[in-house]
Structure formats: C-alpha cells, structure tokens
Amino acid sequence: MKKILVLGASGQIGTDLTLELGNRFGDANVVASDMKIATDEVMDRFTFEFIDVLNKHKLEELIERHGITEIYHLAALLSGRSEQKPMFAWDVNMRGLFNVMELVRDKGIERMFWPSSIAVFGPSTPKHMTPQKTIMEPNTVYGISKLAGERWIEYFNVHYGTDIRSVRYPGIISYKTEAGGGTTDYAVEIFFEAVRNGHYDCYLRPDTLLPMMYMEDAIRLTIDIMDRPKAELTVNSSYNVAAMSFTPEQLAEEIRKHLPHFTIRYQPDFRQAIADSWPASIDDSVARQRRGWHHEFDMPRMVEIMIREVAQKLEREKTD
Ligand code: VAH
C-alpha cells in the first residue's frame, strides 16, 4: 500500500501537492510535514508532523512509524532567502537532501521526488530555449545547491539503486499560499497586491523574461513523473520542464485587462542579478518526447484564474 510523506507540505508547491496527492491516493495515505503549520485545508485533511529535515533521527522515526513508501522532499530555502543566508541555505538544502536520500537508500523507500530548478543554469548557459544538457555554471547559492543536488541524486540512483526523480521547475504561480522567498515570486505577489491595493512595487526590471508555470501544470507533471515505470525515464538527474515565459511588463498588461486601474512601479533589488543569471526560456523536448508532458495553462488563462481565486481568498480572510 502506498504511504506518501511530503516534506515541506506548508510551502508553495508542498501545499498544492499534498492536496492533490490526497485527492488521488486518499488523504489517509498521505502524511504532511514541515517545520511550520500548513494551511487550514492541509491541517484539516491530513496527518501533520512537525519535522526539521536536519533531524535525521526524528525523520527516520517518522518514516518507520508511518510505514512510508514514497517521499516528496520539497523542504528547502529558495533563491532570494538563500542569497541572504548562504551557509544556512547550503546546510538545509544539502544536509537535508542527504538525510532524506540516505534514509531512502537504507530504509528501502520505493521512490522519492526532489525538485530541481532552472536555477541550475547560470550566466554562461544559452539563455533562450535552454537545452536539457548544456553549460551549467550557476552563480547563486540556491543554484549551486540545486546543481550539486542533481549530481548527488544521479550518484545515489546509479551507485545505490535508489529511485529518485526530479524536474527543473521554472517559476511556479499559485494562490493557495503567499510568496516564499523566491525570485520568481514577484509573479505571485503581484496578484495579491493588485487585488488588495491596485498597485505593485516590482523588484525586477520590466523586461526580465523568465520561464514560468501555473501550479496545476506543475503538480500534474510531478505526480506523473512519479507514477511512470522507472524504465521509461531517460534522465537520471532532472528533467527540463516548461510552460510559458513572460516579463513583469507583459504580466502587468494582462492583469490590466481584468483590473484596468492597476499600476506597477519597478524598483530592482538584489534579486535582479539572480534573475539575470537564469534562462529566459527552456527547451523541454526531452520531457515532452519521453513522458508525454504537455502544459495546459498559458498566461491569459493563468491570470484570469489567479485574479478570481486571490480575490475570493482575500474576501474569505476578511470575514474569518
Ligand atoms: C525561486 N521559485 O524563485 C523559485 C524557483 C526558478 C525559481 O526555483 O527561487
């Protein structure tokens, strides 16, 4: 019987992933965990365990107590926060990953998912339609940890026979949680600010073109890659995946189709250098060929959903 552990279930991807895993496999077969409390919906529906992925002993006890067979390891510091706390980020992102991978190997966990990111690419990487295999010289703490992580999951898969699967997420856009310290999170914050205040101060330049994906696409492809027979997987590290690319200026124009009076001001900060080191668009033909991956949400559809759902969420919070 499948028993899934989600590490980082209170985060942006973790929240939506936990809910969808419960929808597909039954809430009783999913254990949510994080260092901080999750959304009401996650807390109401799932067994929740407070866990620090740096505490390997407690993690092992949790895995044994629940009879875990699969792990989605999403607990990490994102790019913006990692630049502000480099060694803490390296410790959490790497020692946390080692703790989980060693338990997957030693406890015979059937399979594990770990998110890489377009952050594995750097300023010397071809910027447009970045291929699956190419120059990878990330110059951010987060990107270095993701590149090192990719090399290590491939090492564990080859040398220890673990089944660790991964995709290189672009910026992910969703409404169930507010932004979590990433560089692409302007594309989440902007909706909450547009609905709340009709204005957003953007920390990136208007022409910063970045790869993005709506959360429903990201969750579907994540569960799909975990469901596939191992023999179908042709990449032992992490797959390029993509959906759309846009700039803050293009996003603001699309938002104005729904909120005509929305205004935006551009005040680039330290995250501009992070964004400038990343690709503008991603070639995900390897994922599309082998695993039938396709995205379903483009920018106009995403914007329409985000404005509607953020407005409803903020309205509910007013009355709570
Ligand atoms: C970040 N949202 O901005 C994450 C993501 C591609 C970026 O990994 O750090």
Side-chain angles (χ1 to χ4, degrees):
M1 187 62 187
K2 195 187 287 270
K3 193 65 177 285
I4 301 167
L5 171 62
V6 179
L7 295 166
S10 305
Q12 180 197 22
I13 298 174
T15 297
D16 284 81
L17 181 63
T18 301
L19 295 169
E20 182 58 20
L21 287 168
N23 296 340
R24 294 208 195 181
F25 303 112
D27 293 0
N29 296 317
V30 179
V31 176
S33 69
D34 205 307
M35 288 182 71
K36 60 185 189 309
I37 199 164
T39 61
D40 292 347
E41 193 178 6
V42 169
M43 299 306 286
D44 291 346
R45 285 182 48 184
F46 298 90
T47 299
F48 188 90
E49 297 272 3
F50 286 95
I51 188 87
D52 176 348
V53 290
L54 298 183
N55 185 335
K56 188 178 178 183
H57 175 70
K58 190 174 177 190
L59 193 52
E60 181 173 10
E61 185 277 328
L62 189 163
I63 288 169
E64 287 173 348
R65 180 158 42 88
H66 287 285
I68 299 298
T69 62
E70 287 184 26
I71 297 178
Y72 288 77
H73 174 32
L74 304 169
L77 270 71
L78 297 180
S79 59
R81 212 159 278 155
S82 295
E83 286 307 301
Q84 293 170 322
K85 298 183 175 179
M87 294 329 296
F88 176 63
W90 180 257
D91 198 30
V92 171
N93 292 2
M94 295 313 295
R95 196 148 57 88
L97 175 59
F98 278 119
N99 284 347
V100 178
M101 287 196 298
E102 287 168 353
L103 288 168
V104 166
R105 178 193 63 197
D106 301 340
K107 314 299 287 183
I109 302 288
E110 287 166 24
R111 62 188 72 174
M112 166 185 166
F113 177 81
W114 173 77
S116 185
S117 161
I118 61 163
V120 291
F121 301 115
S124 57
T125 303
K127 202 157 186 67
H128 297 278
M129 291 308 284
T130 301
Q132 176 72 39
K133 282 186 180 297
T134 184
I135 302 164
M136 300 167 84
E137 296 175 324
N139 61 2
T140 65
V141 171
Y142 178 70
I144 295 165
S145 78
K146 288 302 183 184
L147 181 55
E150 285 194 13
R151 298 293 88 230
W152 274 109
I153 67 170
E154 184 169 78
Y155 185 92
F156 266 66
N157 285 343
V158 169
H159 290 267
Y160 303 128
T162 52
D163 184 357
I164 305 172
R165 305 176 184 200
S166 175
V167 298
R168 293 167 179 158
Y169 286 132
I172 305 293
I173 299 161
S174 65
Y175 57 86
K176 288 188 175 167
T177 59
E178 297 213 32
T183 297
T184 59
D185 287 337
Y186 88 87
V188 175
E189 291 175 358
I190 193 170
F191 289 101
F192 286 85
E193 293 306 303
V195 172
R196 277 193 188 106
N197 310 314
H199 175 80
Y200 179 59
D201 287 332
C202 182
Y203 53 76
L204 296 181
R205 281 195 320 267
D207 63 345
T208 307
L209 185 61
L210 287 171
M212 298 281 186
M213 183 180 290
Y214 183 56
M215 180 64 81
E216 274 189 50
D217 275 332
I219 298 305
R220 179 167 43 78
L221 80 86
T222 300
I223 297 175
D224 173 73
I225 193 175
M226 284 289 273
D227 275 355
R228 293 283 164 151
K230 189 170 181 179
E232 280 187 22
L233 302 178
T234 55
V235 168
N236 237 340
S237 53
S238 189
Y239 281 94
N240 275 10
V241 289
M244 52 187 153
S245 290
F246 54 76
T247 66
E249 195 170 40
Q250 291 167 333
L251 184 56
E253 281 165 29
E254 192 65 30
I255 289 172
R256 280 194 202 97
K257 293 178 184 174
H258 303 266
L259 302 171
H261 304 299
F262 170 66
T263 58
I264 186 168
R265 181 173 56 177
Y266 299 100
Q267 298 174 309
D269 69 10
F270 73 98
R271 287 166 287 192
Q272 187 63 53
I274 298 172
D276 289 344
S277 74
W278 289 349
S281 58
I282 297 289
D283 171 0
D284 65 351
S285 52
V286 171
R288 286 180 191 263
Q289 281 160 4
R290 293 283 177 177
R291 292 182 25 259
W293 154 243
H294 63 280
H295 71 283
E296 294 178 358
F297 294 82
D298 61 10
M299 184 171 68
R301 187 178 179 201
M302 175 273 289
V303 169
E304 181 195 351
I305 294 168
M306 284 295 289
I307 287 179
R308 182 184 71 237
E309 295 298 337
V310 167
Q312 289 177 10
K313 178 182 168 77
L314 296 179
E315 196 53 39
R316 280 196 303 273
E317 287 172 1
K318 269 188 210 159
T319 53
D320 283 355

